Amino acid sequence: MSGGKNKRALKREGFLGNNGSFRFVIVSLLALGNITLGMAAVMLLARIAPYVSLVLLAAALFVICGKTVTMRTPDHTLAWSILLLAVPFAGLVLYLSWGRVNFTKLEKGFLERSFRRCRDFLQNEPDAGDALREERPEQARQAAVLRREDFPAYRADAGAAKYYPLGELLFEDLYRDLEAARDHIFMCFYIVADGEVWERLRGILRRKAAEGVLVRFMYDDMGCVMTLKRDFAGKLRADGIEVTAFNPIHRYVRQLYLNYRNHRKMCIIDGRVAYAGGINLADEYANISSRVGHWKDGGLRFTGGAVRSQTAIFLQIWDMENMMVTEDYNAFCPEPEEPGPGGMYIAPFADGPANNPRNPAHTLYQTMCAAARESVWYTTPYMMPDCALREALCCAAEGGVDVRIITPGIPDHVTVYAATRGHYRRLLDSGVRVFEYAPGFMHAKMALCDRSSAVVGSINMDSRSFYQHYENAVWIAGGQAVDDIARDFDALFARCREIDPAAWDARPMHKKLWQATLSLFSPLF
C-alpha cells in the first residue's frame, strides 16, 4: 500500500483504532451518551410542553409510513411500528441509532462506483446458463436468480469444489494453499482472534509478503473489537500486509448510526483457488477451544472460472471501504482452463445493505423452497426467517416436500436462541421438521435442495444477514461436493434431537410468552 493510502487508512481508524476493549468501552459509552441525551431531551420537552408528545407521535407515524413505502419486509416494518407507537421517545432515538442505513455523500459515491465496476465485470463473464438448463433444468431456476443479480454460474470439473464439514479440516488445506501462493492473497473475515489458528496464519502471511506476494487482509471492526490485541493492524502493516478494518465502530457514533457490518468469510489465492463458508479465523472454529460444546461449521474450496467472481466480490468491498478504484479486475483474475466433463456448476454471490430491497440470498432461499421436489434442508445458527421465507418453508412442507432445519443445541447468545425458538411453532404446524445439534453449536450456514444443489456461505437465516450485513456464499449444483454435503446432513440428523410438536406445546407458559415476544422483535436484532 502506498504511503498516501496508509495515511488515509490510519486516519479512518482514528486515535482509538488499535485499542480493542478500551475502544469498545469508549464507543459504547459515547453511543449510550448520545441515546441518553436524546431521550432526556425529548422527555424534558414533553414535560414542558405536552403538545410535543403529539409532534413526536407524528414523527413516529412519519417514520412508519416511510418504512412501509421502502420496507424490507412486513416483519421489519411491524416490529418498528410497535416500538415507535408504544414508546415514541425511546423508539425514535433507537431508530436513529439502529434502524437505518446511512452513508455520507462521499461514501455513496465510492459505494456506487465500486458496485458498478463489480457489476460491469461480472456482466461480461461467461454464463453457463444454457448448458445448465439443458443438463439440470430444475437447478437452472436457482442459478437464474443469481444471474439476474449479475452473478453468473460457471461450468466446472466434477472435483472443482471440495466441501469441509469441519473447520479444522478446512484450515489444513488453507495453510497449504497459502504456502503455495505466488502472486496475491486476498482474505476477508468477520472475526479474527488471537490463538493457534491466527498465529499459524499470520506466520504464513508474513512470509509470503516478504517474498513479494501481494497480501490484502480485511476484518470487521465490530466482529474483532473484543478479540484482538492492541495495534493488530499496525503489526500487519509492519509485516508488509495491506490491511483494512471494515467500518470502524467509532466512525458513526456522532451520527447515531452503528449498524451495518461485513460478515463475509472468503479467501482468494492467485485468482485460482478460493474459499468460502461460515468459518472465521479463531480457535473455536477449529475445535481447539469452545465454550459451547462441539463447534459444527462448513466450508468450501473451489477452483476454475468461479474464482473470478469471488475475486471481483472481494475487490468491490475492498475498494468501497478504502475509497479507491481498482482499474483492472483482470489483473487479479487469470483466465481459467477450459473445464472437462463432470457437470458441476458453481456460482459465487454476495449481498449487502447497499442493494436493499433487492436481495439475491433471500430470493435464492425462497426459490430453493419452491423448486424442491423431494427435500430442502438448512443449517443455521440463528433461525429468524421473515414472513416471506417462513411462508415459503411452510408452503413447501405442506406440499409434501421434506423440509428440515438444524439449529444449535447449545447457544452462544441466550436471547437470540430464545428468539430462534420462538419461530418453531409456525414451522412445526406446517410439517417443517426442526432439529437441534445436540453436541454443541451449529454455526454452519448451508442449504441443500433435492440432494442435487447446495449453498455454503456466511448467510444466517435472519433479517440481519439478509438486509443489514454484507454476506457471501457459493451456490453449487452436481459434483462430488454436493454429494458430500448430502452425506454430512445424513450424519447430522443422527446427532440431533428433533423437536416434538406435542412436547413443544407443553413447555411452560412464561417461556412461550418470552419466546413469542422476542420472535416478534427479531427483525430488529
Side-chain angles (χ1 to χ4, degrees), residues 367-423:
T367 302
M368 294 179 86
C369 289
R373 295 294 175 263
E374 297 177 1
S375 63
V376 59
W377 299 340
Y378 299 90
T379 63
T380 180
Y382 314 117
M383 196 275 295
M384 293 171 280
D386 61 21
C387 63
L389 181 54
R390 183 171 59 250
E391 291 311 304
L393 293 164
C394 292
C395 286
E398 290 167 356
V401 175
D402 178 13
V403 183
R404 305 185 191 186
I405 302 173
I406 304 176
T407 65
I410 301 175
D412 63 338
H413 301 295
V414 175
T415 303
V416 178
Y417 185 57
T420 289
R421 295 182 125 208
H423 287 270

Side-chain angles (χ1 to χ4, degrees), residues 25-277:
V25 171
I26 294 298
V27 170
S28 297
L29 289 174
L30 289 172
L32 181 61
N34 276 346
I35 293 172
T36 302
L37 287 173
M39 288 184 177
V42 294
M43 291 177 72
L44 179 61
L45 285 173
R47 289 174 59 187
I48 296 172
Y51 64 83
V52 173
S53 296
L54 295 177
V55 174
L56 289 169
L57 182 59
L61 291 172
F62 178 79
V63 170
I64 291 169
C65 291
K67 298 296 286 184
T68 301
V69 172
T70 61
M71 66 181 177
R72 302 169 190 159
T73 66
D75 307 60
H76 188 265
T77 301
L78 177 62
W80 275 115
S81 298
I82 293 173
L83 183 63
L84 287 163
L85 292 175
V87 282
F89 303 123
L92 283 169
V93 176
L94 289 173
Y95 175 75
L96 290 173
S97 63
W98 200 249
R100 61 202 174 106
V101 174
N102 189 30
F103 302 98
T104 67
K105 184 176 181 180
L106 180 63
E107 288 169 336
K108 285 179 181 178
F110 276 99
L111 181 70
E112 292 171 0
R113 192 183 306 177
S114 65
F115 268 85
R116 184 169 60 251
R117 284 198 58 76
C118 182
R119 184 173 61 250
D120 291 347
F121 177 82
L122 293 178
Q123 282 176 344
N124 293 323
E125 285 293 283
D127 181 53
D130 291 340
L132 181 56
R133 281 187 290 273
E134 182 177 340
E135 294 181 20
R136 297 178 171 273
E138 295 297 326
Q139 287 76 53
R141 293 175 56 194
Q142 301 165 39
V145 168
L146 301 178
R147 178 71 262 189
R148 262 197 315 273
E149 300 296 333
D150 300 317
F151 296 112
Y154 298 80
R155 188 166 186 167
D157 298 332
K162 180 178 180 180
Y163 168 67
Y164 301 92
L166 293 170
E168 50 265 43
L169 301 177
L170 179 145
F171 283 125
E172 290 305 317
D173 280 1
L174 177 60
Y175 298 144
R176 283 194 291 270
D177 285 334
L178 290 172
E179 292 280 14
R182 294 292 176 266
D183 185 73
H184 63 270
I185 296 170
F186 296 158
M187 302 186 81
C188 176
F189 289 89
Y190 179 63
I191 292 175
V192 183
D194 287 313
E196 293 181 31
V197 168
W198 174 241
E199 283 305 308
R200 186 168 176 184
L201 273 169
R202 185 191 170 193
I204 297 172
L205 297 180
R206 184 193 299 121
R207 290 194 298 275
K208 301 315 292 186
E211 293 172 9
V213 173
L214 171 65
V215 182
R216 289 181 174 176
F217 191 92
M218 175 178 280
Y219 63 97
D220 185 84
D221 195 46
M222 179 67 80
C224 299
V225 69
M226 299 298 291
T227 62
L228 294 178
K229 294 179 181 179
R230 181 174 180 172
D231 201 28
F232 171 80
K235 289 179 179 178
L236 287 185
R237 291 191 184 102
D239 292 336
I241 297 168
E242 296 184 14
V243 59
T244 291
F246 183 85
N247 189 14
I249 62 174
H250 54 275
R251 178 186 292 175
Y252 293 104
V253 171
R254 68 184 183 278
Q255 297 172 269
L256 276 180
Y257 179 70
L258 301 167
N259 212 3
Y260 73 98
R261 309 309 320 169
N262 181 2
H263 196 242
R264 296 175 181 177
K265 293 98 177 168
M266 67 174 81
C267 178
I268 304 106
I269 302 162
D270 291 345
R272 300 189 181 279
V273 178
Y275 286 81

Side-chain angles (χ1 to χ4, degrees), residues 325-399:
V325 177
T326 299
E327 295 298 337
D328 184 11
Y329 280 16
N330 282 302
F332 302 104
C333 299
E335 287 295 329
E337 297 179 1
E338 192 68 25
M344 171 178 270
Y345 295 87
I346 307 175
F349 64 97
D351 218 334
N355 57 278
N356 286 339
R358 299 178 67 89
N359 191 282
H362 187 270
T363 305
L364 178 60
Y365 272 27
Q366 290 178 277
T367 302
M368 294 179 86
C369 289
R373 295 294 175 263
E374 297 177 1
S375 63
V376 59
W377 299 340
Y378 299 90
T379 63
T380 180
Y382 314 117
M383 196 275 295
M384 293 171 280
D386 61 21
C387 63
L389 181 54
R390 183 171 59 250
E391 291 311 304
L393 293 164
C394 292
C395 286
E398 290 167 356

